[in-house]
């Protein structure tokens, strides 16, 4: 297993408002260039060696941009880009990218008006099946309310790894006021965790809380509850740390995001399982071990 310590989920961009319409009111902190030179001191400050850059907008130019950065810097060990998986030219398009740093693809399924219909699309599913035959990973980005549709999709595609981003985005803002919110999410996570080809990123939780009012002790208690639930569902060898930088900065510093996970892991995981969490699982799932 790789001993390289990896942040398995972060983003880079050169900011233009028309390219990132999801960066809206109250998110001005993100409305600027976010590039590798800014991330590396944060990584090293937490004892991390490298990162996986993940797409933050749809479009093939996003994949080209991230691969360009990765090929200039060994600290970006790979890219989860964007591609139209329903395209009849998918194989040609992927060949154009090359495979030296391309690890897989992702789409903002969370923004689809009908996530179930998107996930059921015949051409899209053919594309995912072809991807898996090529040993490319598909990252699944959805809200908790869309997880039921994800279950059937994940059952269909079991020839290679699928990675659930941000623990399926549990509705942390509801945990304190709706007793069913946690139970509903937990049920879905357990169903996905029962599929041995699905891994899970411990990432993105700080911005699922009410970050605009500032995180409180109760929010961190809910985050720890989610981490415990993910551990129970997926086991220690299918979890990987991701910061979701720079999006996480809306709610907490990079150091805070890492320390919450580190303190949790030190009381729950063996030394070997902590190695997996901080890079080993990412290396295994994304094929970074060779």
């Amino acid at each position: 297993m790789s001993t390289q310590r990896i942040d398995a989920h972060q983003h880079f961009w050169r900011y233009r408002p028309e390219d990132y319409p999801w960066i809206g009111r109250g998110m001005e902190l993100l409305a600027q260039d976010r590039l590798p030179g800014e991330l590396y001191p944060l990584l090293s400050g937490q004892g991390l060696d490298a990162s996986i850059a993940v797409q933050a907008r749809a479009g093939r130019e996003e994949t080209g941009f991230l691969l360009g950065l990765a090929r200039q810097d060994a600290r970006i060990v790979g890219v989860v880009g964007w591609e139209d998986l329903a395209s009849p030219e998918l194989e040609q398009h992927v060949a154009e990218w090359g495979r030296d740093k391309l690890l897989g693809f992702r789409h903002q399924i969370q923004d689809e008006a009908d996530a179930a219909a998107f996930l059921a699309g015949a051409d899209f599913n053919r594309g995912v099946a072809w991807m898996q035959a090529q040993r490319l990973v598909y990252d699944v980005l959805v809200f908790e309310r869309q997880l039921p549709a994800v279950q059937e999709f994940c059952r269909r595609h079991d020839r290679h790894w699928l990675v659930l981003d941000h623990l399926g985005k549990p509705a942390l803002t509801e945990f304190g006021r709706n007793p069913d919110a946690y139970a509903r999410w937990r049920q879905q996570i357990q169903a996905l965790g029962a599929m041995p080809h699905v891994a899970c990123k411990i990432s993105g939780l700080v911005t699922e809380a009410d970050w605009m009012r500032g995180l409180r002790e109760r929010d961190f208690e809910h985050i720890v509850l989610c981490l415990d639930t993910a551990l129970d569902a997926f086991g220690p060898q299918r979890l990987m740390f991701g910061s979701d930088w720079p999006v996480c900065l809306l709610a907490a510093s990079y150091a805070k995001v890492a320390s919450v996970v580190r303190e949790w892991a030190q009381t729950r995981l063996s030394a070997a399982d902590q190695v997996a969490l901080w890079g080993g699982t990412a290396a295994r799932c994304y094929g970074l071990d060779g």
Side-chain angles (χ1 to χ4, degrees):
M1 179 176 287
S2 171
T3 57
Q4 192 172 38
R5 290 170 62 84
I6 300 169
D7 178 341
H9 195 101
Q10 53 81 206
H11 310 286
F12 296 122
W13 56 69
R14 294 190 186 278
Y15 179 71
R16 295 192 307 172
E18 60 270 27
D19 290 340
Y20 299 94
W22 59 268
I23 298 179
R25 186 175 180 181
M27 304 171 74
E28 290 80 10
L29 183 65
L30 304 182
Q32 57 185 285
D33 292 354
R34 296 291 185 173
L35 296 169
E38 185 181 0
L39 175 65
Y40 294 142
L42 304 176
L43 281 176
S44 62
Q46 299 304 311
L48 298 170
D49 306 306
S51 72
I52 293 172
V54 179
Q55 64 85 224
R57 61 181 177 130
R60 301 192 74 229
E61 61 273 17
E62 174 81 339
T63 308
F65 167 67
L66 294 176
L67 285 172
L69 293 178
R71 286 166 178 159
Q72 295 169 17
D73 200 317
R75 290 170 293 188
I76 307 172
V77 291
V79 167
V80 175
W82 186 93
E83 186 60 80
D84 179 5
L85 299 186
S87 170
E89 299 175 331
L90 175 61
E91 184 173 356
Q92 176 187 333
H93 287 169
V94 173
E96 290 170 1
W97 295 129
R99 293 292 301 274
D100 55 321
K101 289 263 182 151
L102 182 65
L103 307 180
F105 296 109
R106 186 180 83 154
H107 176 71
Q108 286 94 329
I109 300 170
Q110 65 178 19
D111 295 334
E112 293 291 331
D114 189 337
F118 179 88
L119 288 165
D123 291 341
F124 169 71
N125 278 275
R126 276 193 293 271
V128 174
W130 179 86
M131 261 185 67
Q132 291 202 318
Q134 308 307 307
R135 316 306 285 174
L136 289 165
V137 175
Y138 191 74
D139 269 35
V140 180
L141 177 65
V142 292
F143 291 115
E144 175 272 330
R145 65 179 180 273
Q146 298 163 324
L147 284 173
V150 169
Q151 285 190 43
E152 182 56 36
F153 169 77
C154 290
R155 289 192 190 96
R156 255 195 315 272
H157 298 290
D158 61 357
R159 295 181 63 190
H160 193 49
W161 289 104
L162 299 169
V163 175
L164 180 66
D165 288 350
H166 310 329
L167 285 78
K169 290 200 163 188
L172 295 186
T173 56
E174 296 183 25
F175 275 21
R177 58 178 180 258
N178 180 355
D180 295 330
Y182 166 71
R184 186 178 61 234
W185 169 77
R186 179 176 179 267
Q187 181 181 29
Q188 298 297 327
I189 288 296
Q190 287 180 324
L192 292 171
M195 304 179 202
H197 62 290
V198 181
C200 182
K201 284 183 180 174
I202 290 181
S203 58
L205 290 178
V206 292
T207 47
E208 294 310 308
D210 188 358
W211 53 268
M212 293 194 76
R213 62 151 168 76
L215 299 192
R216 304 174 185 179
E217 182 178 353
R218 188 64 171 160
D219 295 313
F220 289 108
E221 291 172 356
H222 289 154
I223 288 171
V224 169
L225 175 63
C226 289
L227 299 181
D228 285 341
T229 303
L231 177 60
D232 180 63
F234 290 92
Q237 292 290 319
R238 284 187 289 146
L239 300 178
M240 61 185 85
F241 169 76
S243 67
D244 200 28
W245 182 90
V247 180
C248 68
L249 300 179
L250 295 170
S253 68
Y254 192 101
K256 181 63 175 178
V257 170
S259 69
V260 168
V261 176
R262 182 170 55 250
E263 290 168 13
W264 168 83
Q266 287 171 345
T267 61
R268 267 71 164 187
L269 304 181
S270 69
D273 290 338
Q274 289 182 59
V275 170
L277 175 70
W278 294 103
T281 297
R284 178 164 50 93
C285 291
Y286 287 106
L288 299 172
D289 282 333

